[in-house]
Amino acid sequence: DDRQLESLYADAHAVLVPSLAEGFGLPVVEALKRGVPVIASDDPALTEAGGSSAAYLPTDDPQRWEVELASRLSDPDRQAEAVLTASLFDRPTWADSASTLAEVLRKYFEW
C-alpha cells in the first residue's frame, strides 16, 4: 500500500532498476522525487524518466553497478538535483484529469 511504499523509499539508500524493457520509468521518477539515488539500466524509457539525475548502465555488467552504487551513496549533493528532475513529471491527480476530461466532453459534445 502507499504507506508501505513510502516507508520503503524513506529507508532506501538507493534504488536499482536493472530492467531489460520498460514502457516508462515510474520507479525511477518515484525514487528521484524522494531524493533517493537511482541506478538504472540504459533502456531509453528509463533514461528519459531520470534525465541526468540517475546513472545508467548496461544490465550485463554487475561490477560497474557495484562501483556506481558506491559512488552514488557517497554523493549527497545529487539528491537536490534528483528531486528537481522528478518534479518535471508532477501531474494533476486522477480527479483533476477526470474533471478536465468532463469539461472537454461538455464543451465539444454539448453535455
Side-chain angles (χ1 to χ4, degrees):
D1 65 11
D2 289 341
R3 285 188 342 195
Q4 186 178 20
L5 181 63
E6 288 303 322
S7 177
L8 290 169
Y9 278 121
D11 291 340
H13 295 284
V15 171
L16 306 178
V17 188
S19 182
L20 297 175
E22 284 289 334
F24 181 73
L26 189 56
V28 171
V29 173
E30 287 181 335
L32 293 176
K33 189 170 189 170
R34 291 160 177 87
V36 179
V38 173
I39 303 170
S41 61
D42 53 4
D43 181 274
L46 298 176
T47 60
E48 180 182 358
S52 64
S53 296
Y56 307 100
L57 301 169
T59 56
D60 62 353
D61 192 348
Q63 288 78 25
R64 284 185 61 194
W65 285 70
E66 182 180 359
V67 169
E68 187 61 37
L69 178 59
S71 171
R72 292 276 158 165
L73 292 177
S74 65
D75 187 359
D77 293 336
R78 290 188 176 178
Q79 290 180 345
E81 178 189 355
V83 173
L84 179 61
T85 297
S87 73
L88 299 174
F89 290 97
D90 282 345
R91 297 286 188 254
T93 65
W94 285 112
D96 294 335
S97 298
S99 176
T100 301
L101 177 60
E103 287 176 34
V104 170
L105 292 173
R106 277 193 291 275
K107 179 178 178 182
Y108 288 101
F109 295 104
E110 299 178 19
W111 287 356

